[in-house]
Amino acid sequence: PQYTRGTVTAFAPFDARADAEALRKAMKGLGTDEETVLTILTTRNNAQRQEIASAFKTLFGRDLVDDLKSELTGKFETLMVSLMRPAYIFDAHALKHAIKGAGTNEKVLTEILASRTPAEVQNIKQVYQQEYEADLEDKITGETSGHFQRLLVVLLQGNRDPDVGVDEALVEQDAQVLFRAGELKWGTDEEKFITILGTRSISHLRRVFDKYMTISGFQIEETIDRETSGDLEKLLLAVVKCIRSVPAYFAETLYYSMKGAGTDDDTLIRVMVSRSEVDLLDIRQEFRKNFAKSLYQMIQKDTSGDYRKALLLLCGGDDD
């Protein structure tokens, strides 16, 4: 899809060679001019960054990403290197790193698979296969278990019903099934939640949530919270939130990455980079509406140095 709600768009007039020369100059010799690096990389879109990398290699016989890695450090380095990752490979790369080595990063699996469209999921699987010569579904099932695993597999099929008209009788039926599988049952029939939340269309499910509230007196989130736990609970909640509103889900994800003591920089970077050309303007709007401060203000308060400067440029403005 053509996304138009990003904060980062194609820079004009664009000159890949001039940018490559400026970056080389910024990193050559003693000390690095971080300001130039961050200004160029946050104000060009991903396609343009790839052209800059290619011009950089043509002009200097050097790899731009390798140079960034050797000249920069810490969170700032992670952010700049993330910006350089080709857009189509971003999610596949994040998933690969979430399931490699000791321990699986369930948070990353949840965030990506709950929020991406069926077309995006198909694309991620294809790229994963090409880049890593491995089957994403096999990798994920090898590292997860139980109902959490089942719901991930359902989402990985990328077969959610298309949004074509809503059948009120089916809405009523699904809402009743969920009510009986959760609130009315001793123990929970998780499978019903997995099938309905993982396969019905977005517009259908939004109606189901309204109907569920009418029947049960509870928001579906309250029921999930009470009836399930652990990774499955987090994944079901993420799916429900993304069905209600993907930008609202990411606003909340960003908020909790910075709230309280310590910042979850991996999440902050991943969301800011991956949504910067998609819907970050909508995310900012939801953030302002739901958290009584702007995303810009929270980043300003919670980060520092060049890392902060770069994140604020990606954020693209305040909403006060």
Side-chain angles (χ1 to χ4, degrees):
Q2 263 328 101
Y3 292 112
T4 55
R5 300 289 297 156
T7 51
V8 176
T9 51
F11 185 83
F14 173 61
D15 180 343
R17 287 191 155 216
D19 283 349
E21 281 166 355
L23 287 169
R24 175 70 184 126
K25 193 173 157 221
M27 293 189 284
K28 200 176 168 175
L30 282 176
T32 303
D33 166 11
E34 287 88 358
E35 189 96 19
T36 297
V37 175
L38 72 88
T39 304
I40 292 175
L41 297 186
T42 57
T43 55
R44 311 303 187 256
N45 70 9
N46 195 283
Q48 291 175 326
R49 290 179 210 127
Q50 305 314 318
E51 285 185 56
I52 295 169
S54 142
F56 197 86
K57 199 162 268 184
T58 298
L59 295 172
F60 311 113
R62 304 176 68 91
D63 186 287
L64 178 54
V65 172
D66 289 347
D67 278 9
L68 291 168
K69 284 178 176 169
S70 71
E71 293 295 322
L72 311 174
T73 55
K75 298 173 286 203
F76 180 55
E77 175 195 336
T78 308
L79 176 56
M80 293 299 110
V81 171
S82 299
L83 285 171
M84 289 307 303
R85 198 155 284 126
Y88 76 92
I89 207 177
F90 195 91
D91 287 342
H93 180 274
L95 289 169
K96 168 132 176 90
H97 284 266
I99 44 190
K100 93 176 213 231
T104 306
N105 188 337
E106 291 82 6
K107 182 186 257 181
V108 176
L109 300 187
T110 295
E111 179 196 299
I112 292 177
L113 293 174
S115 64
R116 301 315 191 241
T117 64
E120 287 167 338
V121 171
Q122 298 296 359
N123 178 54
I124 290 167
K125 289 195 295 191
Q126 222 175 325
V127 170
Y128 198 95
Q129 185 67 57
Q130 282 158 4
E131 294 292 321
Y132 306 118
E133 295 176 355
D135 182 86
L136 178 57
E137 191 181 313
D138 289 349
K139 289 287 178 196
I140 286 179
T141 49
E143 295 294 329
T144 55
S145 61
H147 294 296
F148 176 63
Q149 179 200 77
R150 309 256 161 74
L151 179 50
L152 286 172
V153 170
V154 167
L155 296 171
L156 273 168
Q157 303 319 298
N159 276 334
R160 190 177 286 288
D161 297 338
D163 268 317
V164 281
V166 172
D167 172 350
E168 285 303 328
L170 186 60
V171 166
E172 173 82 38
Q173 187 189 315
D174 278 351
Q176 293 285 358
V177 167
L178 289 173
F179 186 44
R180 288 198 295 272
E183 295 291 344
L184 285 188
K185 193 171 186 303
W186 181 257
T188 309
D189 183 351
E190 291 90 353
E191 199 156 281
K192 296 279 194 291
F193 279 81
I194 289 169
T195 302
I196 292 174
L197 293 177
T199 62
R200 302 287 199 253
S201 79
I202 302 287
S203 45
H204 170 83
L205 284 167
R206 285 177 183 162
R207 291 283 306 114
V208 170
F209 297 162
D210 292 344
K211 181 64 78 177
Y212 184 87
M213 179 76 192
T214 310
I215 294 170
S216 71
F218 297 114
Q219 292 288 12
I220 188 88
E221 290 91 334
E222 298 175 73
T223 295
I224 290 169
D225 195 31
R226 262 203 308 278
E227 301 286 329
T228 62
S229 62
D231 293 327
L232 174 67
E233 178 190 344
K234 292 188 186 110
L235 181 56
L236 283 168
L237 287 173
V239 168
V240 168
K241 286 168 183 175
C242 288
I243 285 158
R244 291 196 190 271
S245 161
V246 168
Y249 168 72
F250 280 117
E252 187 181 321
T253 303
L254 286 169
Y255 179 74
Y256 285 106
S257 76
M258 292 181 278
K259 184 185 183 294
T263 302
D264 173 359
D265 293 291
D266 287 339
T267 298
L268 178 55
I269 291 169
R270 192 173 53 253
V271 175
M272 291 296 288
V273 173
S274 66
R275 308 315 285 186
S276 61
E277 292 181 45
V278 180
D279 54 2
L280 195 47
L281 289 170
D282 296 324
I283 292 168
R284 271 169 45 183
Q285 220 172 337
E286 290 291 334
F287 197 100
R288 186 72 191 84
K289 194 172 85 191
N290 299 328
F291 301 111
K293 64 178 84 153
S294 69
L295 176 59
Y296 193 91
Q297 287 157 0
M298 195 150 183
I299 291 171
Q300 208 160 22
K301 187 178 116 309
D302 229 79
T303 58
S304 61
D306 296 314
Y307 177 53
R308 169 165 64 189
K309 280 181 198 163
L311 285 170
L312 292 175
L313 280 170
L314 278 182
C315 182
D318 202 343
D319 300 283
D320 239 19

